[in-house]
Amino acid sequence: MTRQPFPRLKASAAALLLFGMGALAPGAQAKEAAPLRPQVAAPLSSFDAEVNTFLAAYWRMFPDAAVAAGRYAEAARLPAPTEALRKQQLAFAEQWLQRLAGLNKNTGLSAAQAGDLLLLDNHLQALRWSLTELRSDRWDPTEYNVADPFAQLLNKPDFAPLPQRLKLMDQRLRQVPAYYQAALAKLSEPSPLHLKLAIEQNSGALSLFRDDIPRAIKQAGLKPAEAAAITAHNAKALSALEEFIAGLQKIEKAQAGAGRSFRLGKALFEQKFAYEIQASVDAQTLYQRALAEKEALLQRMSAYADQLWPQCLAGEAVPADRSDKIARVIAKLSERHVAPERFVEDIKAQIPALEKWVVEHDLLTLDPSRPLVVRETPTYMRGVAGASISAPGLMDPKGVTYYNVDPLDKYTPEQAESFLREYNHWVLQVLNIHEAIPGHYVQLLYSNKSPSKVKALFGNGAMVEGWAVYAERMMMESGWGAVDGKPSAEMGLMYAKWNLRVVSNAILDYSVHVLGMSEAEAMNLLQREAFQSHTEATEKWHRAQVSSTQLSSYFAGFSEILALREALKAKQGSDFKLKAFHEEFLSHGSAPVRMVQKLMLGQ
């Protein structure tokens, strides 16, 4: 599961959201220490003014990124993804890299400001690399989808009255035909898997134009002529979307399974890893660490299985094979799960208990004024992860955070049972911790309150995913899941299984895109070695193919956050306070962990 929208690094303006792109360029690690040293403070207004100038220019160049940040008025603009636009974006990156290089010579920057500058510099380097080397605009049609800003405007009554929002939508609607024409022309031998997903996701967007926007027009009380004009523009947009889907289907039929491979290959994967993950190690080293952690987890799970065997499988012989033994116990425990029709409702019901636990155990300060709404995932967002968080941007202080959950109606009864065994009584609790409290939902609220706009807007996906995984650890350490005040072996085994999934994500990611792992090998890793259900393993294999590097972010971020906590414990001794650590760590927005480490340790 993942937080939405932390996208893959993309070139198209429509998909260039802010998170996960503020990483170092490959080879830049040795240069990081110097800019982060505290210096004599310069006037804040000078640095802040330059940041504000950059952001204003950035919003103009990338209006969909502005919408993601909460600047909903920018949804009125929808630049067509033409070759001319790509060149304009590249020129923008080059111009601002040169301009910000001048600020880098300012020895008066504080450590926090220097960190901001580093993030901006590397965001632009990542953009330049994406536009010139990755070039996913030519082979990944999932980049082309106009739906989300329309949905944002429909669901933002606090931004503006409906008639005003419809006027913005009308401006955007007029640009949809040119957008999709340019998108179709841009594609060259697209990856068949991405092609299929793009058809599914854009088909999911059809209901916006067929149902949602016409319904809003009727509800808005517009003058007849105005309503008729918007209706006409909406009809043309719907037709353009249908033509785009038909065009993708035509390409799919003509390619007959040919086209670009979904695998990035070693060079592109390592470059993308450096930009997006921004870990203290490279991709291959993280892969090797994940292999070692996998074995440590299996040893722990074996001990839990020995403890649980007598009560789960009394009278049966314990298998000699370690994997068989663990799998048998997990299979027995997994019989306890929610009914399929109660899946979304059960998630909703658990959120208050998590909030209460965090407050009573003094783990973090929560903000009751910022609601979390559990909803079924919109159809145009489905097909990558079964659960995700859609958080309001920095510029939307009153926005609602959505916990998106895919309903199970897409499954056969057998598939639903397989899914629910994966998300059984214990694992579903860990999922809710990860996605909601005190995971993504809480971290992103803190990030938006950070004094640094840059660290909130141009944050690091590995920090965000790493925090969600760390939040699980935090809750288990505080006693969540205990029975009668004693640690639960059942929760211990299932939590270790979940951690094994985090580790296996990194192994799978590298193996698929660099080592050429086959589907059979991937399914063996996920089912036999990581004890995942067939449905979960099948969907993870699909996700590994249509994404890259994001699956590595969980293990990369978690391991570095945990290492930072232990380093601070050693440094502060009896003065270390867990809540203080959590809140100081989260105060730095969504900055890369190694940048936060320098700020917190004073290095």
Side-chain angles (χ1 to χ4, degrees), residues 302-315:
S302 180
Y304 278 124
D306 287 336
Q307 182 181 345
L308 289 165
W309 188 275
Q311 67 188 66
C312 290
L313 298 156

Side-chain angles (χ1 to χ4, degrees), residues 91-347:
F92 173 89
E94 297 286 5
Q95 172 195 345
W96 275 98
L97 279 167
Q98 294 178 22
R99 180 164 173 172
L100 293 175
L103 280 180
N104 203 27
K105 299 174 183 177
N106 184 348
T107 57
L109 294 180
S110 69
Q113 291 172 331
D116 287 352
L117 186 59
L118 184 65
L119 285 176
L120 290 177
D121 179 73
N122 286 282
H123 178 81
L124 291 166
Q125 289 190 47
L127 173 60
R128 179 174 62 186
W129 173 80
S130 180
L131 290 165
T132 57
E133 295 187 47
L134 183 63
R135 292 306 308 272
S136 54
D137 58 317
R138 297 187 297 195
W139 54 264
D140 182 0
T142 66
E143 294 191 0
Y144 305 118
N145 192 322
V146 302
D148 193 63
F150 282 112
Q152 294 271 21
L153 286 173
L154 284 172
N155 292 302
K156 292 302 298 179
D158 55 323
F159 162 63
L162 181 56
Q164 184 177 336
R165 285 180 280 136
L166 280 170
K167 289 179 181 179
L168 289 174
M169 281 189 271
D170 186 39
Q171 295 177 57
R172 184 177 178 86
L173 286 167
R174 299 180 194 195
Q175 300 164 78
V176 169
Y179 174 92
Y180 276 126
Q181 288 172 11
L184 204 58
K186 199 77 172 287
L187 294 172
S188 173
E189 292 188 321
S191 153
L193 282 164
H194 292 90
L195 190 57
K196 183 176 185 295
L197 181 58
I199 292 170
E200 292 172 355
Q201 291 183 331
N202 276 280
S203 296
L206 288 170
S207 62
L208 275 169
F209 303 95
R210 287 177 178 166
D211 305 318
D212 300 343
I213 294 176
R215 185 184 306 117
I217 293 171
K218 290 180 180 178
Q219 294 172 346
L222 301 172
K223 294 179 180 179
E226 192 173 16
I230 300 176
T231 298
H233 297 145
N234 180 67
K236 290 181 179 179
L238 172 60
S239 178
L241 176 54
E242 291 172 333
E243 290 173 7
F244 179 65
I245 294 169
L248 295 181
Q249 291 170 331
K250 183 177 180 180
I251 294 172
E252 184 179 42
K253 183 177 181 180
Q255 286 190 168
R260 187 196 187 279
S261 171
F262 63 85
R263 303 182 197 274
L264 282 193
K266 183 177 176 62
L268 286 177
F269 185 89
E270 290 182 344
Q271 287 177 306
K272 191 179 182 189
F273 181 95
Y275 283 123
E276 289 200 350
I277 304 301
Q278 201 169 340
S280 58
V281 296
D282 61 17
Q284 185 176 11
T285 303
L286 185 76
Y287 168 72
Q288 294 295 337
R289 287 185 179 180
L291 290 175
E293 183 63 18
K294 175 188 167 190
E295 177 56 30
L297 284 167
L298 287 172
Q299 291 180 19
R300 191 181 313 160
M301 294 172 73
S302 180
Y304 278 124
D306 287 336
Q307 182 181 345
L308 289 165
W309 188 275
Q311 67 188 66
C312 290
L313 298 156
E316 298 188 27
V318 179
D321 182 85
R322 182 177 68 177
S323 292
D324 286 346
K325 176 183 64 178
I326 296 170
R328 290 277 303 279
V329 176
I330 288 174
K332 187 63 178 178
L333 292 177
S334 298
E335 294 173 1
R336 184 180 175 187
H337 60 69
V338 66
E341 65 274 12
R342 289 284 309 167
F343 182 65
V344 177
E345 291 305 314
D346 210 59
I347 288 175

